[in-house]
Amino acid sequence: MKNIAILGRPNVGKSTLFNRFAGRRKSIVDPMAGVTRDISMACTYIDDIAFNVFDTGGLLDISDDVLNEKVREKALKTAMEEADILLFLVDAHQYHPDDRHFINTIRKSGKPIILVVNKVDADSHNSLINEFYSLGIKDIVPISAEHNNGIDDLREKILELLESVGVDLDAERGSSIDIKDEENLEEYDNNNEEEYDNEITTEEENKIINIAIVGKPNAGKSTLLNTLIGKDRSIVSDIAGTTRDAIDETFNFKGDDICLVDTAGIRKKKNVNTDVEYYSVNRAIKAIEASDVCILMLDVFEGLTDQDKTIANLIIERRKGIVIAANKWDIREEGITWNDYEAYMKETFPVLNYAFYARVCATRKNDAEKLLSLAVRVAKTRLQRFETHALTETMVRATREYTISAGGNPFKIYYVTQTGVNPPAFAVFCNHPHKLNSHYKRYLENRFREMFDFRGTPIILNFRKRGKKYGD
């Protein structure tokens, strides 16, 4: 696909325009300058031609922000190396010397540039455009990204400019891919064995595996993403809260299509001080909800903190797969063994005994790929399907090895059938489901995990009374 990069100073409306192209609020928009730091990417269609659109951080020559140089370098590098067309945004109400400085910089790339004059919100603002002709860009389009004015003109100008540099638009239309939203799959609630067998929910065999990297600030999330994709997509800094938007990257890993999402660090509510941070945390939580598996990054020096447990609970409540990664293992305190550290984590948070635990150094490619392989394994585990006969035999054997009394009679299981995947869900038909205590349910779940290798993912066991047509 062709790539479009949106560039410009802070607060000229780059993220607002990016969201227009994306068709959703993917980048955080806020009056505070310098909100966007990393590169956000979305797919858009213009006249049936697919484009990748990049939202970049604000360009400032001089700034008090300690991250300004990194943000500027990343934005310009994306423009110079990855984009086919550059959209340089300016504020119609503010002609700034940095606009000329950075336009002269990106001219060196030799790539087509469209000067987009934003915040032309009324006819009376059209006269403001004249001042920007002095920047020497022939193709100028006035828009109001906030009010969706002039966006169609901008799309037409993009196509016109591509055609002027020899791009065959008809060929591009023919090669465009279709992007379809995944439909949420519902769990069926029937009390008939045959219906369960016929209506098990399904997943696409070749679906993209969605993996979210989550954790507290400065746990190494962005470093892990950059190591896995082999480029500096996310800015890495010792400053807590560097990542704000959820940054996603789709790539093929050992034959599987992966969408990997780097999220903002999730802090305690009382420590969230700004609207921007609130939106960042909210995006991180939404990334968890959209994921198949979460990689929870821990700082090995801090161990499993209360905030880590809170994040783990967010994952558990949403029934996502989980891999817990103890990062910075290479510089741990002397004498600490992995067996002891893993035992400590399991003892500290026993509800996650089913999780995979991994020791990593996020800067090492080998460690990062082993960690990702674990996450992929969990994702595939969540898609497993099993025959009713095998499920029933396993559960019945478990009740024979350890039985309880239910309603004056021994607890009895008639059959077990699978009702869903991602996460795996099962209906367990028995004689007295309401008499089961939590301890016995946990025992049956653990046996189920052991027999069918459900490590790394929650499973759902719905205990139900058998339908009347079967009798007791």
Side-chain angles (χ1 to χ4, degrees), residues 245-315:
D245 282 305
I247 307 302
D248 58 275
E249 185 79 18
T250 301
F251 59 101
N252 190 275
F253 177 71
K254 298 181 179 179
D256 294 303
D257 291 326
I258 308 292
C259 179
L260 195 61
V261 183
D262 175 24
T263 65
I266 301 175
R267 298 204 297 167
K268 293 179 180 178
K269 284 185 179 180
K270 67 178 182 180
N271 295 328
V272 175
N273 300 316
T274 66
D275 287 342
V276 171
E277 190 171 3
Y278 167 79
Y279 290 126
S280 295
V281 171
N282 192 44
R283 296 286 171 87
I285 293 172
K286 286 186 175 179
I288 292 174
E289 292 172 347
S291 70
D292 300 304
V293 180
C294 295
I295 297 174
L296 175 56
M297 298 289 287
L298 308 181
D299 186 321
V300 73
F301 292 100
E302 296 184 17
L304 194 62
T305 67
D306 288 342
Q307 184 59 12
D308 293 317
K309 293 177 185 177
T310 298
I311 299 169
N313 276 323
L314 290 173
I315 300 169

Side-chain angles (χ1 to χ4, degrees), residues 219-220 223-225 227-228 297-298 300 325-332 338 358-371:
T223 301
L224 179 65
L225 174 72
T227 300
L228 284 168
M297 298 289 287
L298 308 181
V300 73
N327 190 26
K328 308 176 187 177
W329 184 255
D330 56 317
I331 53 174
R332 68 191 183 282
W338 177 243
R359 48 187 167 176
V360 299
C361 169
T363 59
R364 293 178 179 172
K365 186 80 169 178
N366 189 48
D367 282 11
E369 289 188 346
K370 285 182 179 178
L371 179 60

Side-chain angles (χ1 to χ4, degrees), residues 197-237:
D197 285 338
N198 292 331
E199 298 186 354
I200 289 178
T201 59
T202 60
E203 293 279 337
E204 293 182 22
E205 290 299 323
N206 298 315
K207 74 183 290 291
I208 291 178
I209 298 172
N210 295 297
I211 299 173
I213 309 171
V214 298
K216 295 186 307 178
N218 271 16
K221 301 180 295 296
S222 296
T223 301
L224 179 65
L225 174 72
N226 291 342
T227 300
L228 284 168
I229 66 176
K231 59 182 178 179
D232 292 336
R233 180 74 195 282
S234 292
I235 291 175
V236 175
S237 164

Side-chain angles (χ1 to χ4, degrees), residues 319-334:
R319 293 172 172 171
K320 304 300 180 178
I322 185 168
V323 178
I324 298 177
N327 190 26
K328 308 176 187 177
W329 184 255
D330 56 317
I331 53 174
R332 68 191 183 282
E333 292 182 13
E334 190 176 350

Side-chain angles (χ1 to χ4, degrees), residues 415-432:
Y415 62 89
V416 183
T417 191
Q418 188 164 6
T419 58
V421 293
N422 205 21
F426 307 90
V428 183
F429 290 91
C430 52
N431 54 353
H432 295 290

Side-chain angles (χ1 to χ4, degrees), residues 171-212:
E172 291 295 328
R173 289 186 188 94
S175 64
S176 293
I177 61 171
D178 292 326
I179 296 178
K180 299 179 180 178
D181 291 330
E182 296 281 346
E183 294 183 357
N184 291 326
L185 299 168
E186 297 180 355
E187 178 187 338
Y188 290 88
D189 185 17
N190 303 302
N191 288 318
N192 182 288
E193 182 179 7
E194 288 80 11
E195 288 178 344
Y196 272 115
D197 285 338
N198 292 331
E199 298 186 354
I200 289 178
T201 59
T202 60
E203 293 279 337
E204 293 182 22
E205 290 299 323
N206 298 315
K207 74 183 290 291
I208 291 178
I209 298 172
N210 295 297
I211 299 173

